[in-house]
């Protein structure tokens, strides 16, 4: 049994991770400042004597005795991370420094939740871990993109200089229950709009592509990476679903999952929005024996059921 710290543990991905770690018999400390995390995400965990919830901001130091650290703390949707871009940078940089300092002091293994956004608007397709990216350093999204890139730099420097045992995961678009309904991500946007009978907002002409990984598959990848051993295990690893969908195709899948007739509304593409996003997951297959199992239609059905309850709709998934 490990004593595990999950920063951002009350968030969408973090809460699923806490749940899985407890189910595997670990002690879990969830740390969150509740900027985007929600206490209700942890309702099923708070009465477990192996679970502890701390209200704390990772930009402030903290000393805990733990064996492993999953550093997920950071708003991950453009709506949230652009709301306070300076805070976003501080969370990525100062928060990562604080968690690395903790890992160094107590000799814990630490996993940094990085992002496919480090690839920017990629000129290479699909994206492999050795691609350095095409990122605008001064754009609206750079507080997140560059913040995560600096976090990766810090992880590698602490590993080289202080021999901290690190893992870096580059997370591609993930969806599922407990997403915020107003977070601006395309899956939650489309589902909520469809359930409410609104037009689905498509930015650009709808031909840009993304890849969508269901949250249970992602959590499985995170845990496998944290516990894997290999010579190059400290280098970044892509975790995502290589199935690629245009925004127009995603809208059709949401229509099927909600049982709704949908109407589309096209809007201008936001600044620096990527045109293509698809992970190459050969490294994850080789090092972790991991690949996603949940197809988009199945994951969307579960996600629609969750959102139907939250938005007060009578809609049910097919």
């Amino acid at each position: 049994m490990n004593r595990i710290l999950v920063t951002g543990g009350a968030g969408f991905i973090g809460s699923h991770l806490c749940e899985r770690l407890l189910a595997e018999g670990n002690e879990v400390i969830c740390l969150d400042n509740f900027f985007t995390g929600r206490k209700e995400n942890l309702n099923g965990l708070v009465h477990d004597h192996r679970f502890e919830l701390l209200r704390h901001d990772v930009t402030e130091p903290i000393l805990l005795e733990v064996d492993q650290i999953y550093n997920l703390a950071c708003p991950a949707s453009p709506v949230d991370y652009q709301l306070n871009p300076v805070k976003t940078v501080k969370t990525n940089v100062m928060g990562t420094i604080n968690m690395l300092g903790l890992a160094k002091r107590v000799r814990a293994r630490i996993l940094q939740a990085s992002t496919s956004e480090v690839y920017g608007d990629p000129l290479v397709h699909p994206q492999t871990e050795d691609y350095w990216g095409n990122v605008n350093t001064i754009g609206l999204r750079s507080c997140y993109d560059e913040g995560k890139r600096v976090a990766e730099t810090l992880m590698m420097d602490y590993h080289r200089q202080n021999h901290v045992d690190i893992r870096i995961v580059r997370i591609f678009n993930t969806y599922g229950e407990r997403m915020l309904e107003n977070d601006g991500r395309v899956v939650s946007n489309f589902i909520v709009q469809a359930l409410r009978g609104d037009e689905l907002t498509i930015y650009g002409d709808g031909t840009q592509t993304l890849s969508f990984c269901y949250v249970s598959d992602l959590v499985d990848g995170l845990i496998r990476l944290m516990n894997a051993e290999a010579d190059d295990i400290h280098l970044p690893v892509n975790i995502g679903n290589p199935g690629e969908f245009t925004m127009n195709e995603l809208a059709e899948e949401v229509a099927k999952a909600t049982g709704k007739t949908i109407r589309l509304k096209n809007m201008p593409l936001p600044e620096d929005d990527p045109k293509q996003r698809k992970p190459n997951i050969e490294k994850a297959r080789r090092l972790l024996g991991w690949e996603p199992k949940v197809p988009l239609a199945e994951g969307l059905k579960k996600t629609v059921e969750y959102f139907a309850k939250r938005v007060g709709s009578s809609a049910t998934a097919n």
Side-chain angles (χ1 to χ4, degrees):
M1 179 177 68
N2 286 313
R3 186 169 168 82
I4 302 174
L5 172 63
V6 180
T7 73
F12 156 50
I13 294 172
S15 61
H16 284 278
L17 177 60
C18 288
E19 198 170 70
R20 172 76 178 273
L21 292 171
L22 282 171
E24 293 183 352
N26 300 287
E27 292 183 2
V28 176
I29 301 173
C30 168
L31 185 152
D32 208 296
N33 69 350
F34 298 103
F35 176 60
T36 56
R38 293 190 289 208
K39 287 184 179 179
E40 65 186 88
N41 289 341
L42 306 170
N43 282 347
L45 311 181
V46 290
H47 298 299
D48 192 318
H49 70 278
R50 295 169 297 123
F51 181 74
E52 185 177 353
L53 175 60
L54 298 178
R55 187 178 194 122
H56 185 84
D57 194 308
V58 291
T59 61
E60 300 294 334
I62 191 169
L63 183 57
L64 300 163
E65 293 292 335
V66 293
D67 302 302
Q68 295 180 344
I69 303 167
Y70 289 84
N71 188 31
L72 274 59
C74 185
S77 73
V79 167
D80 293 322
Y81 66 64
Q82 291 175 14
L83 188 64
N84 189 339
V86 173
K87 178 68 172 178
T88 298
V89 173
K90 285 182 176 180
T91 300
N92 280 316
V93 178
M94 296 168 62
T96 302
I97 289 172
N98 285 333
M99 289 303 108
L100 281 163
L102 174 60
K104 177 185 172 184
R105 284 194 297 273
V106 302
R107 297 183 179 179
R109 178 176 292 176
I110 180 170
L111 179 146
Q112 170 63 27
S114 189
T115 172
S116 60
E117 296 293 336
V118 300
Y119 299 123
D121 188 5
L123 304 177
V124 170
H125 191 76
Q127 292 81 57
T128 56
E129 291 88 349
D130 57 0
Y131 175 52
W132 290 355
N134 176 40
V135 178
N136 177 1
T137 63
I138 59 172
L140 292 173
R141 301 169 72 105
S142 60
C143 60
Y144 185 71
D145 302 2
E146 290 297 284
K148 289 291 190 181
R149 285 161 70 100
V150 173
E152 288 193 10
T153 300
L154 287 164
M155 291 287 286
M156 290 303 300
D157 285 339
Y158 265 79
H159 173 68
R160 285 184 287 244
Q161 182 175 323
N162 303 115
H163 308 292
V164 175
D165 189 2
I166 68 165
R167 304 287 187 272
I168 301 171
V169 56
R170 290 178 178 162
I171 298 172
F172 282 69
N173 289 73
T174 303
Y175 70 99
E177 303 92 317
R178 301 179 197 154
M179 296 180 79
L180 293 169
E181 53 266 35
N182 58 349
D183 68 1
R185 299 184 201 186
V186 65
V187 172
S188 49
N189 268 5
F190 279 8
I191 291 175
V192 170
Q193 288 172 337
L195 290 173
R196 289 175 173 163
D198 298 335
E199 294 176 320
L200 271 59
T201 305
I202 289 188
Y203 295 96
D205 61 6
T207 59
Q208 67 270 34
T209 66
L210 289 175
S211 305
F212 302 100
C213 184
Y214 186 62
V215 65
S216 63
D217 283 333
L218 177 74
V219 166
D220 181 53
L222 297 182
I223 293 174
R224 288 189 186 214
L225 179 57
M226 174 64 92
N227 295 292
E229 303 285 353
D231 290 340
D232 57 348
I233 199 66
H234 57 278
L235 296 174
V237 178
N238 289 338
I239 296 290
N241 193 322
E244 190 176 12
F245 293 84
T246 68
M247 298 303 93
N248 291 326
E249 289 169 340
L250 177 64
E252 292 172 6
E253 291 296 322
V254 168
K256 294 175 188 174
T258 58
K260 298 281 189 177
T261 301
I262 60 168
R263 296 165 294 124
L264 305 180
K265 177 174 69 174
N266 291 85
M267 300 284 286
L269 196 66
E271 180 184 333
D272 300 327
D273 209 50
K275 313 299 187 301
Q276 285 184 309
R277 187 61 59 73
K278 175 182 178 178
N280 178 307
I281 61 168
E282 289 307 311
K283 190 173 183 180
R285 287 193 176 108
R286 173 174 59 84
L287 291 178
L288 313 178
W290 178 90
E291 60 183 4
K293 298 175 182 177
V294 180
L296 182 63
E298 180 183 332
L300 283 178
K301 180 180 178 181
K302 296 177 181 178
T303 310
V304 166
E305 289 170 353
Y306 170 79
F307 276 115
K309 296 172 184 174
R310 291 202 65 85
V311 302
S313 170
S314 59
T316 56
N318 292 338

